[in-house]
Amino acid sequence: MATATKTYEYAVRDKSGKVVKGRIEATNSNAVANRLRTMGMAPISVDEVQVSGLKKEITIPGISNRISLKDLAIMARQLATMITAGLSILRALSILADQTENQALAKILQQVRSDVETGSALSAALGKHKNTFPPLMVNMIRAGEVGGFLDQVLVSIAENFEAEVKLRGKVKSAMTYPVVVFVIAILAVTGMLLFIVPIFAKMFKDLGGELPVLTQVLVTMSDILKITILPTIVGLVVFVSWWGKNKNNPGVREKVDPLKLKAPVFGQLVRKIAISRFTRNFGTMIHAGVPILQALDIVGATSGNIVIERAVKSVQESVRTGQALTAPLSQHPVFPPMVVQMMAVGEDTGALDAMLEKISDFYDQEVEATTDALTSIIEPLMIAVLGGIVGFMVIALYMPIFSVFDLVQ
């Protein structure tokens, strides 16, 4: 079990005799003093920071502590700018920790700065926070540190993350309207079946007479929904909870991911997104100088689909045995011939990273075009379906009213 850390304020005398004050996180005051001594400083005082109940941060699990890809893109871009301007990594990390709006990320950056201050490499310090910084980012930074071009690597990371955020944003914005319309349709139909139909059914029953077939169907649906509504809600809550915990389980992904690619309407979109993500990440890592076997090991997991992940593993085995990079790709139908041929040309000419970037840009445009096409098709279909459902219910409810006057007489 991990030991909880506390925040300490310290005052030290540096090698020039100047008194320096600051804050640091550690398990106890002795750990703080030892860390300061290893940095060549003489501790004067170490005091724990006491936080009152009124000043404590209010955090909402799953919301307040969430660090998005956009936060990491902004962080990488700002860090690259400051390092290019000549600031030291320690100074840049301090500035980032102070100005980052996301408090969870700011706290982690303070811990990263403390580790770097004690002699750790930036990549090693980031690697301690695996749930925050993806392996792609850590390995690219490690390659930049070894090659002496950390600022260029950080710019590549920022561009990579920004492209991914842009891609996700396009898909989300395109799918928002159909999803909202679908939810409204479900709520409207459920509300009518639970609250409006029973009133009409009681009125028709009191008046006597035989109901039309459409009305009988509607009343039967209302009766069934009254019985199943609570079990359905409970089932949905249980499924959502289970899915949130198990969606990344390998056994679940083995069954779900191939179905995503075969889906009649959205399968091509999922495939294009996965290929775009794979080629972008792979190209970025090769451009940053990450060894190709190590890059393949990482980009397979970041593609988001286990079918592509399996294909990448076969490529990795091919490269390990000294064969061509693109030879195994042609055996996997998930990769279109164009992708395989362009990668083969890039491999032959020594410009694989540039070719992968072109493939990624092409599929980004394809994703945008596909989402626009899907939206233009889905929107009128959703409106027609919603209108048809509501129209059916209105007709079914009003058909018996035409015979009400005869029943009253």
Side-chain angles (χ1 to χ4, degrees), residues 50 97 119 141 187 224 228 242 305 351 384 402:
Q50 299 293 335
I141 288 176
L187 293 176
I224 293 173
T228 59
W242 176 87
N305 195 285
F402 299 131

Side-chain angles (χ1 to χ4, degrees), residues 169-201:
K170 287 176 182 176
V171 176
K172 286 181 180 178
S173 62
M175 294 296 108
T176 297
Y177 178 80
V179 170
V180 170
V181 172
F182 180 73
V183 171
I184 291 174
I186 294 293
L187 293 176
V189 171
T190 303
M192 292 181 71
L193 288 174
L194 288 177
F195 302 108
I196 298 176
V197 172
I199 296 173
F200 278 82

